[in-house]
């Protein structure tokens, strides 16, 4: 009986999570998969990129560079609103984020042979937003205090 209750509770929780508005936005989900991670060290690029199936769009080629933002969606999504400012056609974060920039070491490689060098940085980030959701990571921006 207890297992059935837990199973029912998990099913309800999954249904609630799946019905959230952002679930209907595939570009936002892709952004999260490719760029958002709570914790990560610079030496984990190969493993994380492999486990998340990150490659060049519509290809088996290794992505040249991929940046991971070390934060939650609760901190990143507000950049598209009050926590961001216009930056050309993009939006720039008001606050810097810890990021890991993964750069391909073996040019021209294809999955699963992608090998990356990771570098930890603290930078503001520039993203594209669509209907209040981050949908594209464009670049990191060095931020210097005056």
């Amino acid at each position: 009986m207890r297992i059935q209750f837990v199973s029912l509770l998990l099913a309800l929780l999954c249904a609630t999570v799946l019905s959230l508005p952002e679930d209907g936005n595939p570009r936002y989900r892709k952004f999260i998969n490719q760029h958002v991670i709570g914790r990560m060290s610079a030496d984990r690029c190969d493993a994380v990129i492999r486990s998340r199936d990150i490659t060049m769009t519509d290809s088996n080629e290794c992505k040249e560079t991929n940046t991971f933002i070390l934060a939650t969606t609760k901190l990143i999504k507000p950049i598209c609103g009050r926590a961001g400012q216009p930056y050309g056609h993009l939006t720039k974060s008001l606050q810097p984020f810890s990021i890991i920039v993964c750069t391909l070491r073996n040019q021209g490689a294809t999955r699963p042979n992608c090998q990356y060098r990771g570098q930890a940085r603290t930078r503001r980030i520039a993203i594209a937003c669509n209907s209040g959701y981050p949908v594209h990571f464009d670049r990191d921006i060095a931020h210097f205090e005056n």
Side-chain angles (χ1 to χ4, degrees):
M1 185 65 162
R2 186 175 201 172
I3 292 174
Q4 289 174 329
F5 175 75
V6 171
S7 296
L8 177 62
L9 189 59
L10 284 173
L12 289 172
L13 179 62
C14 287
T16 302
V17 168
L18 291 176
S19 67
L20 294 174
E22 58 262 18
D23 187 63
N25 189 333
R27 291 182 65 200
Y28 179 56
R29 286 196 316 263
K30 182 178 179 181
F31 173 85
I32 292 169
N33 181 65
Q34 286 190 332
H35 301 293
V36 180
I37 192 164
R39 296 167 115 191
M40 179 180 163
S41 59
D43 63 348
R44 299 277 303 140
C45 287
D46 293 352
V48 174
I49 288 173
R50 188 179 316 111
S51 71
R52 293 182 176 207
D53 279 334
I54 298 171
T55 59
M56 295 288 286
T57 303
D58 300 323
S59 165
N60 211 24
E61 293 177 48
C62 303
K63 195 171 177 187
E64 189 88 17
T65 302
N66 195 78
T67 301
F68 291 99
I69 307 162
L70 308 183
T72 64
T73 56
K74 288 184 179 187
L75 293 174
I76 298 168
K77 186 175 175 287
I79 296 168
C80 292
R82 69 191 183 302
Q85 66 186 80
Y87 186 71
H89 66 282
L90 303 167
T91 303
K92 175 174 63 170
S93 65
L94 296 176
Q95 298 298 317
F97 284 85
S98 294
I99 60 173
I100 301 289
V101 179
C102 302
T103 307
L104 187 64
R105 292 186 303 164
N106 55 339
Q107 301 301 314
T110 57
R111 183 178 56 187
N113 301 314
C114 307
Q115 296 175 359
Y116 290 88
R117 175 177 297 110
Q119 184 181 35
R121 300 178 183 166
T122 301
R123 300 281 197 275
R124 287 185 178 193
I125 58 174
I127 60 174
C129 298
N130 184 290
S131 299
Y133 291 95
V135 293
H136 171 73
F137 178 90
D138 194 77
R139 67 184 67 126
D140 60 84
I141 304 162
H143 173 72
F144 301 100
E145 294 290 333
N146 292 340

